[in-house]
Amino acid sequence: MKKYLLTIVLALITGILLSKVFFNQYSDKKSLKTVFEKGETLYFARQGIYSSLDSVKEHTIKMSYYIYRVVDDKYYVYYGITKDLDNYEKIAGNMKELGYDNYREEIVVSSKSFLETLEQYDMLLRETTDNSIVNAICNQVLTSYEELVLNGSEN
């Protein structure tokens, strides 16, 4: 009976010490993110894919503002982001008039503050037909995306 009691006590002490070490790793809970973050699928208006930054600059001369991301040494250039497919068509039409191709890319974004901001800009975009206003709204959306998602200032 004594053998079993000693074994049980040692197992309990070992379990308590290991759990303390394990939980101390997570003392700063602000830096933790959930594994399955909910996000929304957004429509990104992509202008093209280029092999170098010089090529990007050469092919985006008429654009007032754009963002790009690098994937597998390729530069993906975007000039608009929206939740609404009708707004996407409006953005794409605006850029088509400037002579740019457009490709719709669906990307999931989980930044709550950016999604709220985008909702407001989408409402403005729905109400306008003026290309200069569409362009200005796209510029603001891209700026917000850079600030809140790419640079991570939401956290």
Side-chain angles (χ1 to χ4, degrees):
M1 184 70 170
K2 255 185 174 177
K3 277 202 246 181
Y4 295 118
L5 185 60
L6 183 61
T7 306
I8 292 171
V9 170
L10 283 175
L12 286 172
I13 291 172
T14 304
I16 290 170
L17 291 175
L18 286 176
S19 65
K20 183 166 177 50
V21 168
F22 179 75
F23 286 117
N24 282 342
Q25 292 179 6
Y26 298 103
S27 62
D28 184 20
K29 293 181 181 170
K30 287 184 181 180
S31 65
L32 293 178
K33 292 191 176 188
T34 59
V35 176
F36 300 104
E37 284 190 38
K38 282 190 173 181
E40 286 191 46
T41 301
L42 304 180
Y43 300 111
F44 280 63
R46 191 182 77 220
Q47 186 266 337
I49 303 172
Y50 301 97
S51 58
S52 70
L53 191 55
D54 290 334
S55 185
V56 169
K57 291 176 182 177
E58 181 183 319
H59 289 93
T60 56
I61 292 173
K62 295 181 196 171
M63 295 175 122
S64 59
Y65 197 77
Y66 62 90
I67 60 173
Y68 66 88
R69 67 182 177 125
V70 182
V71 178
D72 297 329
D73 294 328
K74 303 275 188 220
Y75 292 81
Y76 291 71
V77 177
Y78 302 97
Y79 55 80
I81 304 170
T82 183
K83 288 182 183 181
D84 186 344
L85 197 51
D86 291 334
N87 284 347
Y88 168 80
E89 295 300 333
K90 193 178 287 188
I91 294 167
N94 183 29
M95 293 311 283
K96 196 133 186 112
E97 286 183 17
L98 292 174
Y100 289 109
D101 292 330
N102 59 72
Y103 307 94
R104 185 175 73 212
E105 193 168 318
E106 296 179 10
I107 297 176
V108 176
V109 175
S110 60
S111 169
K112 290 180 185 177
S113 57
F114 175 70
L115 293 171
E116 290 170 3
T117 302
L118 183 60
E119 188 71 41
Q120 299 299 316
Y121 283 121
D122 270 349
M123 287 180 2
L124 292 172
L125 202 51
R126 265 183 229 111
E127 301 301 319
T128 189
T129 56
D130 184 354
N131 283 344
S132 63
I133 295 174
V134 170
N135 198 28
I137 291 171
C138 286
N139 293 349
Q140 289 298 316
V141 169
L142 292 174
T143 301
S144 295
Y145 182 78
E146 277 186 315
E147 181 181 308
L148 297 173
V149 179
L150 297 180
N151 296 335
S153 67
E154 179 180 76
N155 298 330

PDB file of all heavy atoms in Angstrom, residues 1 7 12 17 26-27 46-47 56 64 69 76 85 100 112 125 146:
ATOM      1  N   MET A   1       0.829  -1.194   0.000  1.00  0.00           N
ATOM      2  CA  MET A   1       0.000   0.000   0.000  1.00  0.00           C
ATOM      3  C   MET A   1       0.875   1.260   0.000  1.00  0.00           C
ATOM      4  O   MET A   1       0.520   2.239  -0.618  1.00  0.00           O
ATOM      5  CB  MET A   1      -0.922  -0.067   1.223  1.00  0.00           C
ATOM      6  CG  MET A   1      -1.887   1.063   1.293  1.00  0.00           C
ATOM      7  SD  MET A   1      -3.083   0.839  -0.026  1.00  0.00           S
ATOM      8  CE  MET A   1      -4.240   2.027   0.406  1.00  0.00           C
ATOM      9  N   THR A   7       3.887   6.442  -5.184  1.00  0.00           N
ATOM     10  CA  THR A   7       3.797   6.596  -6.639  1.00  0.00           C
ATOM     11  C   THR A   7       2.721   7.607  -7.014  1.00  0.00           C
ATOM     12  O   THR A   7       2.929   8.466  -7.878  1.00  0.00           O
ATOM     13  CB  THR A   7       3.488   5.232  -7.292  1.00  0.00           C
ATOM     14  OG1 THR A   7       4.445   4.275  -6.862  1.00  0.00           O
ATOM     15  CG2 THR A   7       3.523   5.348  -8.800  1.00  0.00           C
ATOM     16  N   LEU A  12       1.240  13.101  -8.858  1.00  0.00           N
ATOM     17  CA  LEU A  12       0.514  14.358  -8.657  1.00  0.00           C
ATOM     18  C   LEU A  12       1.464  15.560  -8.632  1.00  0.00           C
ATOM     19  O   LEU A  12       1.200  16.593  -9.243  1.00  0.00           O
ATOM     20  CB  LEU A  12      -0.303  14.308  -7.366  1.00  0.00           C
ATOM     21  CG  LEU A  12      -1.555  13.438  -7.410  1.00  0.00           C
ATOM     22  CD1 LEU A  12      -2.171  13.316  -6.031  1.00  0.00           C
ATOM     23  CD2 LEU A  12      -2.554  14.020  -8.390  1.00  0.00           C
ATOM     24  N   LEU A  17       3.764  20.366 -11.331  1.00  0.00           N
ATOM     25  CA  LEU A  17       4.923  21.116 -11.817  1.00  0.00           C
ATOM     26  C   LEU A  17       4.896  21.295 -13.336  1.00  0.00           C
ATOM     27  O   LEU A  17       5.188  22.387 -13.844  1.00  0.00           O
ATOM     28  CB  LEU A  17       6.216  20.419 -11.388  1.00  0.00           C
ATOM     29  CG  LEU A  17       6.527  20.458  -9.889  1.00  0.00           C
ATOM     30  CD1 LEU A  17       7.772  19.637  -9.589  1.00  0.00           C
ATOM     31  CD2 LEU A  17       6.717  21.892  -9.427  1.00  0.00           C
ATOM     32  N   TYR A  26       2.159  30.933 -21.301  1.00  0.00           N
ATOM     33  CA  TYR A  26       1.077  31.708 -21.886  1.00  0.00           C
ATOM     34  C   TYR A  26       0.631  32.852 -20.986  1.00  0.00           C
ATOM     35  O   TYR A  26      -0.529  33.216 -20.953  1.00  0.00           O
ATOM     36  CB  TYR A  26      -0.113  30.796 -22.199  1.00  0.00           C
ATOM     37  CG  TYR A  26       0.249  29.739 -23.207  1.00  0.00           C
ATOM     38  CD1 TYR A  26       0.489  28.432 -22.813  1.00  0.00           C
ATOM     39  CD2 TYR A  26       0.400  30.069 -24.540  1.00  0.00           C
ATOM     40  CE1 TYR A  26       0.845  27.472 -23.734  1.00  0.00           C
ATOM     41  CE2 TYR A  26       0.770  29.120 -25.470  1.00  0.00           C
ATOM     42  CZ  TYR A  26       0.983  27.822 -25.058  1.00  0.00           C
ATOM     43  OH  TYR A  26       1.349  26.882 -25.973  1.00  0.00           O
ATOM     44  N   SER A  27       1.571  33.450 -20.267  1.00  0.00           N
ATOM     45  CA  SER A  27       1.203  34.527 -19.358  1.00  0.00           C
ATOM     46  C   SER A  27       0.816  35.800 -20.115  1.00  0.00           C
ATOM     47  O   SER A  27      -0.010  36.574 -19.665  1.00  0.00           O
ATOM     48  CB  SER A  27       2.345  34.813 -18.385  1.00  0.00           C
ATOM     49  OG  SER A  27       3.498  35.233 -19.103  1.00  0.00           O
ATOM     50  N   ARG A  46      -6.913  42.934 -58.999  1.00  0.00           N
ATOM     51  CA  ARG A  46      -5.495  42.786 -59.309  1.00  0.00           C
ATOM     52  C   ARG A  46      -5.221  43.299 -60.711  1.00  0.00           C
ATOM     53  O   ARG A  46      -5.915  42.975 -61.656  1.00  0.00           O
ATOM     54  CB  ARG A  46      -5.078  41.323 -59.184  1.00  0.00           C
ATOM     55  CG  ARG A  46      -3.562  41.147 -59.232  1.00  0.00           C
ATOM     56  CD  ARG A  46      -3.144  39.706 -59.154  1.00  0.00           C
ATOM     57  NE  ARG A  46      -3.380  39.119 -60.470  1.00  0.00           N
ATOM     58  CZ  ARG A  46      -3.873  37.905 -60.662  1.00  0.00           C
ATOM     59  NH1 ARG A  46      -4.211  37.155 -59.662  1.00  0.00           N
ATOM     60  NH2 ARG A  46      -4.034  37.447 -61.885  1.00  0.00           N
ATOM     61  N   GLN A  47      -4.178  44.073 -60.834  1.00  0.00           N
ATOM     62  CA  GLN A  47      -3.794  44.639 -62.124  1.00  0.00           C
ATOM     63  C   GLN A  47      -2.901  43.697 -62.896  1.00  0.00           C
ATOM     64  O   GLN A  47      -3.005  43.603 -64.103  1.00  0.00           O
ATOM     65  CB  GLN A  47      -3.099  45.992 -61.899  1.00  0.00           C
ATOM     66  CG  GLN A  47      -2.779  46.756 -63.157  1.00  0.00           C
ATOM     67  CD  GLN A  47      -1.372  46.483 -63.655  1.00  0.00           C
ATOM     68  OE1 GLN A  47      -0.503  46.082 -62.900  1.00  0.00           O
ATOM     69  NE2 GLN A  47      -1.150  46.689 -64.928  1.00  0.00           N
ATOM     70  N   VAL A  56       7.022  46.510 -62.096  1.00  0.00           N
ATOM     71  CA  VAL A  56       5.802  47.026 -61.451  1.00  0.00           C
ATOM     72  C   VAL A  56       5.701  48.526 -61.673  1.00  0.00           C
ATOM     73  O   VAL A  56       4.657  49.041 -62.097  1.00  0.00           O
ATOM     74  CB  VAL A  56       5.791  46.705 -59.936  1.00  0.00           C
ATOM     75  CG1 VAL A  56       4.686  47.456 -59.226  1.00  0.00           C
ATOM     76  CG2 VAL A  56       5.665  45.217 -59.703  1.00  0.00           C
ATOM     77  N   SER A  64      -2.832  56.091 -59.568  1.00  0.00           N
ATOM     78  CA  SER A  64      -2.531  57.053 -58.512  1.00  0.00           C
ATOM     79  C   SER A  64      -2.061  56.354 -57.244  1.00  0.00           C
ATOM     80  O   SER A  64      -1.285  56.911 -56.476  1.00  0.00           O
ATOM     81  CB  SER A  64      -3.754  57.910 -58.221  1.00  0.00           C
ATOM     82  OG  SER A  64      -4.843  57.106 -57.818  1.00  0.00           O
ATOM     83  N   ARG A  69       2.087  42.661 -53.263  1.00  0.00           N
ATOM     84  CA  ARG A  69       2.636  41.662 -52.355  1.00  0.00           C
ATOM     85  C   ARG A  69       3.530  40.746 -53.159  1.00  0.00           C
ATOM     86  O   ARG A  69       3.314  40.539 -54.356  1.00  0.00           O
ATOM     87  CB  ARG A  69       1.545  40.895 -51.611  1.00  0.00           C
ATOM     88  CG  ARG A  69       0.698  40.011 -52.462  1.00  0.00           C
ATOM     89  CD  ARG A  69      -0.402  39.335 -51.628  1.00  0.00           C
ATOM     90  NE  ARG A  69      -1.244  38.550 -52.499  1.00  0.00           N
ATOM     91  CZ  ARG A  69      -1.491  37.267 -52.339  1.00  0.00           C
ATOM     92  NH1 ARG A  69      -1.002  36.637 -51.297  1.00  0.00           N
ATOM     93  NH2 ARG A  69      -2.244  36.619 -53.180  1.00  0.00           N
ATOM     94  N   TYR A  76       2.527  40.843 -57.099  1.00  0.00           N
ATOM     95  CA  TYR A  76       1.091  40.914 -57.388  1.00  0.00           C
ATOM     96  C   TYR A  76       0.635  42.332 -57.067  1.00  0.00           C
ATOM     97  O   TYR A  76       0.744  42.775 -55.923  1.00  0.00           O
ATOM     98  CB  TYR A  76       0.314  39.911 -56.538  1.00  0.00           C
ATOM     99  CG  TYR A  76       0.566  38.472 -56.915  1.00  0.00           C
ATOM    100  CD1 TYR A  76       1.788  37.846 -56.645  1.00  0.00           C
ATOM    101  CD2 TYR A  76      -0.421  37.724 -57.543  1.00  0.00           C
ATOM    102  CE1 TYR A  76       2.010  36.528 -56.989  1.00  0.00           C
ATOM    103  CE2 TYR A  76      -0.205  36.394 -57.893  1.00  0.00           C
ATOM    104  CZ  TYR A  76       1.021  35.814 -57.611  1.00  0.00           C
ATOM    105  OH  TYR A  76       1.233  34.506 -57.956  1.00  0.00           O
ATOM    106  N   LEU A  85     -19.560  42.520 -55.000  1.00  0.00           N
ATOM    107  CA  LEU A  85     -19.209  42.186 -56.380  1.00  0.00           C
ATOM    108  C   LEU A  85     -19.567  43.319 -57.349  1.00  0.00           C
ATOM    109  O   LEU A  85     -18.829  43.577 -58.299  1.00  0.00           O
ATOM    110  CB  LEU A  85     -19.907  40.891 -56.789  1.00  0.00           C
ATOM    111  CG  LEU A  85     -19.369  40.174 -58.013  1.00  0.00           C
ATOM    112  CD1 LEU A  85     -17.873  39.961 -57.936  1.00  0.00           C
ATOM    113  CD2 LEU A  85     -20.075  38.848 -58.203  1.00  0.00           C
ATOM    114  N   TYR A 100      -5.953  49.503 -68.054  1.00  0.00           N
ATOM    115  CA  TYR A 100      -5.382  48.416 -67.250  1.00  0.00           C
ATOM    116  C   TYR A 100      -6.285  47.197 -67.275  1.00  0.00           C
ATOM    117  O   TYR A 100      -7.498  47.301 -67.223  1.00  0.00           O
ATOM    118  CB  TYR A 100      -5.197  48.862 -65.797  1.00  0.00           C
ATOM    119  CG  TYR A 100      -4.090  49.868 -65.620  1.00  0.00           C
ATOM    120  CD1 TYR A 100      -4.367  51.198 -65.317  1.00  0.00           C
ATOM    121  CD2 TYR A 100      -2.761  49.490 -65.757  1.00  0.00           C
ATOM    122  CE1 TYR A 100      -3.345  52.114 -65.146  1.00  0.00           C
ATOM    123  CE2 TYR A 100      -1.739  50.404 -65.599  1.00  0.00           C
ATOM    124  CZ  TYR A 100      -2.039  51.712 -65.292  1.00  0.00           C
ATOM    125  OH  TYR A 100      -1.036  52.614 -65.141  1.00  0.00           O
ATOM    126  N   LYS A 112     -10.813  42.941 -37.975  1.00  0.00           N
ATOM    127  CA  LYS A 112     -12.146  43.501 -37.708  1.00  0.00           C
ATOM    128  C   LYS A 112     -12.209  44.990 -38.027  1.00  0.00           C
ATOM    129  O   LYS A 112     -13.175  45.451 -38.619  1.00  0.00           O
ATOM    130  CB  LYS A 112     -12.544  43.259 -36.254  1.00  0.00           C
ATOM    131  CG  LYS A 112     -12.838  41.822 -35.952  1.00  0.00           C
ATOM    132  CD  LYS A 112     -13.216  41.634 -34.501  1.00  0.00           C
ATOM    133  CE  LYS A 112     -13.379  40.158 -34.196  1.00  0.00           C
ATOM    134  NZ  LYS A 112     -13.668  39.926 -32.783  1.00  0.00           N
ATOM    135  N   LEU A 125     -19.027  53.811 -52.161  1.00  0.00           N
ATOM    136  CA  LEU A 125     -18.760  53.338 -53.517  1.00  0.00           C
ATOM    137  C   LEU A 125     -20.052  52.957 -54.244  1.00  0.00           C
ATOM    138  O   LEU A 125     -20.185  53.200 -55.436  1.00  0.00           O
ATOM    139  CB  LEU A 125     -17.803  52.147 -53.458  1.00  0.00           C
ATOM    140  CG  LEU A 125     -16.991  51.797 -54.687  1.00  0.00           C
ATOM    141  CD1 LEU A 125     -16.251  53.006 -55.231  1.00  0.00           C
ATOM    142  CD2 LEU A 125     -15.998  50.700 -54.353  1.00  0.00           C
ATOM    143  N   GLU A 146      -3.191  48.797 -45.859  1.00  0.00           N
ATOM    144  CA  GLU A 146      -1.767  48.806 -45.504  1.00  0.00           C
ATOM    145  C   GLU A 146      -1.586  49.071 -44.012  1.00  0.00           C
ATOM    146  O   GLU A 146      -0.806  48.400 -43.347  1.00  0.00           O
ATOM    147  CB  GLU A 146      -1.028  49.893 -46.290  1.00  0.00           C
ATOM    148  CG  GLU A 146      -0.631  49.492 -47.667  1.00  0.00           C
ATOM    149  CD  GLU A 146       0.220  50.548 -48.346  1.00  0.00           C
ATOM    150  OE1 GLU A 146      -0.118  51.740 -48.276  1.00  0.00           O
ATOM    151  OE2 GLU A 146       1.224  50.149 -48.948  1.00  0.00           O
TER     152      GLU A 146
END
